[in-house]
Amino acid sequence: MTILVTGNAGFIGFHTAKKLLERGDSVVGIDNLNKYYDVNLKKSRLKILEKIALKNKAKYKFIKGDLANENVLKKSFAKYKFERIIHLAAQAGVRYSLSNPHTYIRSNVLGFINILELCRHKNIKHLTYASTSSVYGANTQVPFKEKSLTDHPLQLYAATKKANELMAHSYSHLYKIPTSGLRFFTVYGPWGRPDMALFLFTKNILRNKPINLFNKGNHSRDFTYIDDIVESIIKVSDKTAKPNKKWNSNLPDISSSNAPYRVFNIGNNNPVKLLDYVEAIEKILNKKAKRKKLPLQPGDIPHTYADNSKLYKYINFKPKTDIFSGVKKFIDWYRDYYNEWKVQSYL
């Protein structure tokens, strides 16, 4: 099987491509290697994918290209015959969207329509794509259920992901393209992005710098470990979306349809207070953080909490990694990758 993984130099895309190669699938990855964060980290991920493909005798090809450029995709589709697409490429980051809105439209909307159009013309058997817990926006009814309203996004990043879900449904309805959207809840783990809380907290605590606690640390997040995210992505991708025969147009469930369309939460179903998260980091590092309490940032959601019962019923799997275990695995990776054991000996 040949699978296209977009954004395979990114955090989630890298781990997904890695898992697919380890089980022997052929993978083609596309990533534009933009400078939103350290490109060297992305290149390190790509080197690992090459080694894993060689070790497992799996076919792997990386293509540097921007999905907003339709020609990049057309050339890829002309050269390779893809059976499935796992679309994980996107401009991420809530706060970055406040100052760089056009980047999100280009990457997350234009890039997505290009993917959909090629799915339409190339007979792709299943498109699995990344959405986000941020689509729940101003909705405060927790735990968040897939059928809950998502009409009040609090920032443009969430709006573009909601747009992806709507675009996917229209193509599923018109052209019978099976699509599965995955709403990720605060993903963390080794090889994570440098702009994410765990990365920033670990770095600053080790270097005796203050950590920023927005909303004075009164957030809670349904932190979800990367291995659980990837397991869910691949299991959903393996099970092609089908129409919901029980779908009722008079009482429409927005997470399914009479078209081959599905949306799932991927979260731990166990929200953790940010202050407890920080304490876990401190305990593992054996070092106290200097805390700087700040107001709630524009666009931030104070609390997230996933109902993952629909996911479990569908694939017989749900995220299960506890915070302490997951954070420790990240910190072990971080100290090894950045040689922080050596750095600490000089501080």
Side-chain angles (χ1 to χ4, degrees), residues 36 93-104 155-156:
Y36 173 62
V94 170
R95 296 183 185 105
Y96 191 69
S97 70
L98 303 181
S99 55
N100 297 273
H102 293 91
T103 302
Y104 287 76
Q155 16 73 16
L156 186 65

Side-chain angles (χ1 to χ4, degrees), residues 8-210:
N8 76 304
F11 175 34
I12 301 175
F14 156 70
H15 281 280
T16 302
K18 177 176 176 287
K19 184 77 171 180
L20 291 169
L21 290 170
E22 286 172 343
R23 77 172 190 177
D25 289 317
S26 298
V27 173
V28 175
I30 298 180
D31 199 294
N32 63 5
L33 296 179
N34 67 30
K35 296 180 180 178
Y36 173 62
Y37 63 84
D38 184 11
V39 175
N40 289 323
L41 181 59
K42 299 178 183 182
K43 290 179 177 178
S44 294
R45 294 172 182 148
L46 292 177
K47 287 179 182 177
I48 288 175
L49 292 179
E50 290 172 1
K51 291 178 181 178
I52 289 172
L54 187 64
K55 179 181 177 181
N56 290 276
K57 298 180 180 178
K59 292 182 180 179
Y60 168 68
K61 174 68 177 178
F62 171 68
I63 299 168
K64 183 181 178 181
D66 189 343
L67 297 181
N69 182 345
E70 193 176 0
N71 289 329
V72 170
L73 281 171
K74 283 183 175 179
K75 289 178 181 178
S76 301
F77 275 73
K79 189 172 182 180
Y80 302 97
K81 183 172 176 56
F82 303 117
E83 296 180 52
R84 299 186 208 161
I85 297 175
I86 299 178
H87 177 56
L88 301 170
Q91 179 56 61
V94 170
R95 296 183 185 105
Y96 191 69
S97 70
L98 303 181
S99 55
N100 297 273
H102 293 91
T103 302
Y104 287 76
I105 298 301
R106 176 177 172 80
S107 179
N108 300 3
V109 179
L110 180 56
F112 193 63
I113 193 63
N114 287 341
I115 288 284
L116 286 171
E117 273 293 287
L118 285 165
C119 286
R120 170 190 174 188
H121 293 294
K122 296 295 182 178
N123 194 30
I124 298 300
K125 294 179 180 178
H126 192 193
L127 168 64
T128 306
Y129 63 94
S131 186
T132 174
S133 61
S134 294
V135 298
Y136 290 104
N139 186 348
T140 57
Q141 187 176 10
V142 293
F144 295 142
K145 298 178 183 291
E146 291 91 343
K147 63 182 180 181
S148 301
L149 290 178
T150 53
D151 294 338
H152 301 92
L154 298 181
Q155 16 73 16
L156 186 65
Y157 168 65
T160 62
K161 289 298 188 177
K162 174 63 176 177
N164 287 173
E165 294 181 6
L166 298 174
M167 293 160 71
H169 183 267
S170 66
Y171 272 66
S172 292
H173 171 74
L174 290 169
Y175 309 115
K176 310 308 176 190
I177 301 168
T179 65
S180 296
L182 307 177
R183 294 173 178 168
F184 300 144
F185 280 70
T186 315
V187 190
Y188 73 102
W191 296 98
R193 299 198 322 262
D195 65 320
M196 299 173 80
L198 178 55
F199 200 112
L200 291 169
F201 290 171
T202 300
K203 179 180 178 180
N204 284 9
I205 293 171
L206 283 171
R207 304 199 170 205
N208 297 313
K209 294 182 178 180

Side-chain angles (χ1 to χ4, degrees), residues 260-288:
Y261 169 88
R262 292 285 190 277
V263 172
F264 297 97
N265 288 335
I266 304 185
N268 227 37
N269 188 233
N270 183 29
V272 173
K273 293 180 180 179
L274 186 59
L275 294 176
D276 292 339
Y277 193 57
V278 172
E279 286 180 7
I281 300 169
E282 291 174 328
K283 186 173 182 179
I284 294 163
L285 292 176
N286 193 28
K287 192 176 179 67
K288 283 289 183 181

